[in-house]
Amino acid sequence: MAVFQCNVISYVLTRTVDITVIIPSTTIPESMASLMGNADAPAPSHVVKEKYPVLYLMHGMGNNHAQWRGYTNVELFAEERNIAVVMISGENKFYRDVPGSDKFFDFVSKEVPEFVTNYFPISDASEHSYIAGLSMGGYGALLHGFSNPERFAAIGSFSGAVMPAGDPKEIEGLVDGPLDVSWLAKKALNGGRKVPPLYIACGEDDFLFKLNTEFVDTLKEHHALIREGTADAGKLFCFTAPASRIPKRRKMRRQLKKSSVQMYSRREDSHRKEIGKKGIPVTYIVTRTVWSPA
């Protein structure tokens, strides 16, 4: 993978910001294939034939653009799935506008995609664009995903802070308005908008667990199709495993099949519950663990 640490002037925020961009690139095994006697291997090249799909990945409270790389194997999974990943610093602003200050929603929804899709070989097509986040970032992913559902192929929330955070008296639209993800979800579902599949996960002992189950209940009430399941913490957050656990590339795919999305799909079959006859597909995972959001 190629990793770019960008320090760029934001015309929306009128200041310099940091953005981390991960781009699939030539690997060591691909570079050495011919040297290892594989004459049929394609010649390595940095020529990009097609633009990459992209995941806009949002961190939690108190963190910044660097935490996903520092605490997870996001590069490993991005390489395996041949997808670009974009990470910004949320600055504890919940990825929304700050009254009397930053237009942070516009920065996230307009300027960041414009920057990365013009400076990097990243697709701007909705079918190639994904958004996900942890805790505060889960709220941000749902906020932007439900505000512009046609722009994304899928939305992910991990231990999402789905409650309206802040003082409703000071922040317009925080409750039953455009900053309330439950309100946005109901509006999108009832308005007939094309809403992408959702992935929502939260631990049973997480202080946000009750709020997440209530949010999923709201989706059920408005005809979302729910697939419920359980998974252990090691499976849900398996991407945090150290890279040393996967020492050789030839073992990578075999190892990944024991974890992450593949593990969920197997476990969901025995815990599947479909609610309603229409609506968007939502996968909801309950983890048997204590997970303290960042």
Side-chain angles (χ1 to χ4, degrees):
M1 302 299 291
V3 178
F4 299 86
Q5 302 279 8
C6 305
N7 188 253
V8 59
I9 294 175
S10 164
Y11 61 77
V12 171
L13 302 179
T14 62
R15 63 173 181 273
T16 303
V17 297
D18 293 316
I19 303 175
T20 296
V21 181
I22 299 173
I23 299 289
S25 62
T26 302
T27 65
I28 290 297
E30 290 168 346
S31 301
M32 298 180 63
S34 60
L35 298 177
M36 301 299 291
N38 187 354
D40 297 328
S45 172
H46 292 300
V47 175
V48 178
K49 297 180 180 179
E50 294 183 2
K51 290 190 174 183
Y52 295 108
V54 59
L55 167 64
Y56 295 95
L57 188 57
M58 302 181 174
H59 63 78
M61 177 72 75
N63 294 154
N64 62 24
H65 67 103
Q67 256 64 54
W68 283 108
R69 288 191 64 220
Y71 286 91
T72 77
N73 272 350
V74 62
E75 292 178 45
L76 178 71
F77 282 84
E79 180 179 287
E80 173 69 14
R81 288 156 179 78
N82 205 40
I83 186 172
V85 182
V86 175
M87 295 159 284
I88 66 170
S89 292
E91 301 178 5
N92 290 353
K93 293 176 180 174
F94 281 82
Y95 305 94
R96 67 192 185 204
D97 288 354
V98 178
S101 182
D102 289 333
K103 295 291 185 181
F104 215 81
F105 186 94
D106 287 346
F107 169 66
V108 175
S109 65
K110 298 177 182 179
E111 187 175 10
V112 171
E114 179 188 71
F115 173 75
V116 299
T117 58
N118 280 280
Y119 281 85
F120 298 95
I122 290 177
S123 173
D124 62 358
S126 59
E127 63 268 26
H128 297 150
S129 301
Y130 303 82
I131 189 167
L134 166 71
S135 191
M136 179 184 77
Y139 168 85
L142 293 168
L143 173 68
H144 287 269
F146 276 118
S147 295
N148 300 288
E150 297 86 359
R151 289 181 53 186
F152 299 101
I155 305 167
S157 173
F158 320 127
S159 295
V162 296
M163 72 291 192
D167 186 348
K169 296 179 181 179
E170 297 180 359
I171 305 176
E172 184 178 355
L174 193 60
V175 177
D176 293 330
L179 299 181
D180 183 340
V181 293
S182 292
W183 182 87
L184 284 171
K186 289 184 284 187
K187 182 181 178 182
L189 290 169
N190 294 336
R193 299 183 72 177
K194 183 181 178 181
V195 179
L198 305 175
Y199 179 87
I200 301 171
C202 192
E204 288 180 327
D205 293 326
D206 190 321
F207 75 94
L208 293 171
F209 177 72
K210 184 174 184 294
L211 290 168
N212 274 268
T213 55
E214 290 173 351
F215 178 66
V216 171
D217 288 340
T218 297
L219 297 177
K220 292 178 183 179
E221 292 169 5
H222 293 271
H223 308 295
L225 185 65
I226 308 295
R227 294 194 304 167
E228 296 185 85
T230 60
D232 295 331
K235 295 164 185 172
L236 180 59
F237 296 103
C238 63
F239 56 81
T240 61
S244 59
R245 283 185 152 184
I246 311 176
K248 296 182 180 180
R249 184 177 174 84
R250 66 174 178 270
K251 295 182 179 179
M252 183 184 298
R253 187 174 298 275
R254 184 176 63 191
Q255 184 73 19
L256 290 174
K257 285 182 179 179
K258 299 178 181 179
S259 59
S260 191
V261 176
Q262 293 92 337
M263 179 61 74
Y264 301 144
S265 63
R266 290 199 294 270
R267 293 296 298 274
E268 285 166 8
D269 289 341
S270 60
H271 295 276
R272 182 167 178 166
K273 182 188 294 183
E274 293 188 354
I275 307 297
K277 297 182 180 179
K278 62 179 181 177
I280 58 172
V282 179
T283 300
Y284 180 58
I285 299 292
V286 177
T287 57
R288 302 188 187 98
T289 182
V290 177
W291 174 255
S292 178

